[in-house]
Amino acid sequence: MVQDRGRVRGYMRVLDRDGNERILEYHNSVRREGVDQPIVRATARDVTDLKRAEAELRHSEQMLRVFVKHTPAALAMFDRDMRYLAVSDRWRVDYRLGGADLLGRSHYEVFPEIAEHWKEVHRRCLEGGVEQADEDPFPRLDGKLDWVRWEVRPWYATRGEIGGLLMFTEMVTDRKRMEDALRYLATHDHLTGLPNRAAFLERLERSLQRVSKGTPDYGFALFFLDLDDFKGVNDNWGHSTGDELLKQVAERLRRQLRPKDALARFAGDEFVGLLEDTDTPAEAGAAAERLLERLRQPFELEGPKVRIEASVGLVLSSQTTSSEEILGWADKAMYAAKEAGKGGWQVYGNGKPPQTVPGSGL
């Protein structure tokens, strides 16, 4: 019951003629001015159905909050101003929120790192849209990078208007890392960390396609490098020393090349690479000599100090657009360099025996 300046408003329960309980809302007012006797005016209306609907709505909202809280998914419910109405325990765990008081707080206050493009998603969904993504990067304030699968959709109030948003998310950071790790293992050599044969062949095909399409001012040289007498390292000092040598060779070659070049471990003690914007025998030979000179420096391994040389075969992209041919010719040029005395390089001539370029460093 509520009293306000002579007015009384309240609810009362009565029984109808069938013995059913009804809820009445009544209003009583008293008029005293200008009359000899106070005049009481009373009105009442049956609000049973309204009160039952309100009670059912409160029960539904309570059940919804219980459901949201205990659902095993990361789920949150927001009003139109993106203030938290309900949040699941999983949401707190995934976003490392602990026991922070979230209800009534703005989503953007809790996560100030939320990017503008996500706020645009929220605005579109508040207009009736439903959006989702299988994986999205979520940079955190602490510098970590999470990956999230999410879906955002509006929820509707009793009269059909949009009351706010429901946001479902799944933290897929661990899955993403595992996928990246598997992808890395599939495309990289486990010993040296360099791209492997399959990854290099993909890169080679892309480069050859640029050549075949006539990309202006584009050309490259492919080199095939094989360590000379590597078997002796394994025989004299063991395979662990040989593996360490291969890792150091890979690192020296990688440091000698430019970021735009490509390098891969092809097999055993064989390495291949692309020298971008290298389209003359002299340029290719100069690059090969720089690689060989770097490898001639002694290698400090656990125990022995090892000196080793290598032989290099080179082919220019202007000679062929076939990956099979360019690799085969580079292999032949490499063996020709070995036959010429090892520790040198050879450039393969198109349809001719390999030619030794002056200054080959034999």
Side-chain angles (χ1 to χ4, degrees):
M1 183 177 65
V2 178
Q3 295 186 9
D4 180 21
R5 296 182 181 180
R7 297 182 178 86
V8 179
R9 178 173 60 86
Y11 299 92
M12 60 185 301
R13 299 177 183 273
V14 300
L15 296 178
D16 63 14
R17 66 182 62 183
D18 297 323
N20 299 316
E21 184 181 79
R22 310 295 294 179
I23 302 174
L24 300 181
E25 179 186 43
Y26 62 84
H27 295 264
N28 296 339
S29 60
V30 180
R31 179 182 176 187
R32 299 179 184 277
E33 295 82 4
V35 295
D36 296 334
Q37 297 291 331
I39 300 175
V40 178
R41 182 179 179 182
T43 60
R45 64 174 181 142
D46 189 337
V47 293
T48 305
D49 294 339
L50 175 61
K51 288 299 180 181
R52 286 175 180 169
E54 290 177 350
E56 290 174 359
L57 179 59
R58 285 193 299 272
H59 178 71
S60 297
E61 290 176 345
Q62 182 181 8
M63 292 298 294
L64 177 60
R65 287 187 171 88
V66 170
F67 170 77
V68 169
K69 175 177 173 56
H70 296 290
T71 185
L75 184 64
M77 185 177 185
F78 304 89
D79 64 14
R80 290 191 60 86
D81 295 319
M82 292 303 294
R83 292 188 297 258
Y84 280 91
L85 297 177
V87 60
S88 71
D89 291 339
R90 187 70 207 179
W91 182 281
R92 292 180 178 276
V93 171
D94 281 357
Y95 295 104
R96 304 186 285 277
L97 295 171
D101 186 12
L102 299 178
L103 300 187
R105 292 178 62 188
S106 168
H107 186 47
Y108 309 133
E109 174 194 349
V110 176
F111 296 105
E113 64 265 42
I114 288 179
E116 185 60 32
H117 74 275
W118 277 11
K119 295 180 181 180
E120 285 293 335
V121 169
H122 301 159
R123 286 191 279 269
R124 289 194 296 269
C125 291
L126 284 170
E127 294 176 356
V130 176
E131 300 197 23
Q132 60 184 15
D134 287 333
E135 58 181 41
D136 228 352
F138 183 23
R140 308 302 302 277
L141 284 180
D142 59 7
K144 295 181 180 178
L145 178 65
D146 282 330
W147 287 84
V148 182
R149 182 171 72 90
W150 56 266
E151 179 177 308
V152 180
R153 60 175 58 246
W155 62 267
Y156 294 87
T158 53
R159 297 181 181 178
E161 71 276 14
I162 293 176
L165 295 182
L166 284 173
M167 192 180 302
F168 163 81
T169 69
E170 179 186 0
M171 199 66 68
V172 295
T173 306
D174 291 342
R175 188 197 74 190
K176 178 72 174 174
R177 288 173 181 164
M178 183 174 293
E179 289 175 351
D180 290 345
L182 291 174
R183 192 177 299 112
Y184 181 88
L185 291 174
T187 57
H188 286 74
D189 173 54
H190 73 281
L191 178 64
T192 63
L194 293 178
N196 60 16
R197 185 189 198 97
F200 181 81
L201 290 176
E202 288 185 8
R203 169 68 181 270
L204 176 60
E205 285 294 341
R206 291 196 300 269
S207 297
L208 287 173
Q209 286 175 9
R210 292 183 63 187
V211 174
S212 65
K213 291 177 181 178
T215 303
D217 302 322
Y218 179 72
F220 67 87
L222 181 142
F223 71 81
F224 200 114
L225 182 149
D226 183 85
L227 300 180
D228 295 329
D229 301 319
F230 176 73
K231 183 177 182 297
V233 176
N234 285 332
D235 292 343
N236 290 325
W237 293 292
H239 287 276
S240 61
T241 299
D243 288 347
E244 180 60 29
L245 176 61
L246 289 173
K247 288 191 285 187
Q248 291 194 25
V249 167
E251 183 61 19
R252 288 192 186 185
L253 294 175
R254 187 185 65 81
R255 290 180 177 273
Q256 195 65 35
L257 298 179
R258 301 162 296 180
K260 62 181 178 180
D261 297 329
L263 176 66
R265 183 187 179 200
F266 222 49
D269 59 339
E270 296 174 343
F271 298 84
V272 293
L274 294 182
L275 303 170
E276 295 284 3
D277 301 320
T278 303
D279 51 12
T280 68
E283 290 175 334
E289 182 57 35
R290 288 194 296 270
L291 295 176
L292 293 175
E293 182 59 31
R294 187 70 185 90
L295 295 182
R296 292 186 186 112
Q297 306 304 313
F299 289 88
E300 298 285 348
L301 305 177
E302 289 188 12
K305 180 183 289 188
V306 175
R307 291 181 179 272
I308 196 164
E309 293 194 280
S311 299
V312 179
L314 295 147
V315 181
L316 303 179
S317 60
S318 57
Q319 295 176 276
T320 179
T321 57
S322 164
S323 60
E324 183 177 352
E325 280 186 343
I326 198 170
L327 286 168
W329 291 352
D331 185 58
K332 289 180 179 180
M334 182 270 293
Y335 277 106
K338 283 185 179 293
E339 293 172 1
K342 301 181 181 179
W345 50 269
Q346 297 271 346
V347 178
Y348 189 83
N350 188 14
K352 300 178 181 178
Q355 62 183 36
T356 301
V357 179
S360 61
L362 298 178

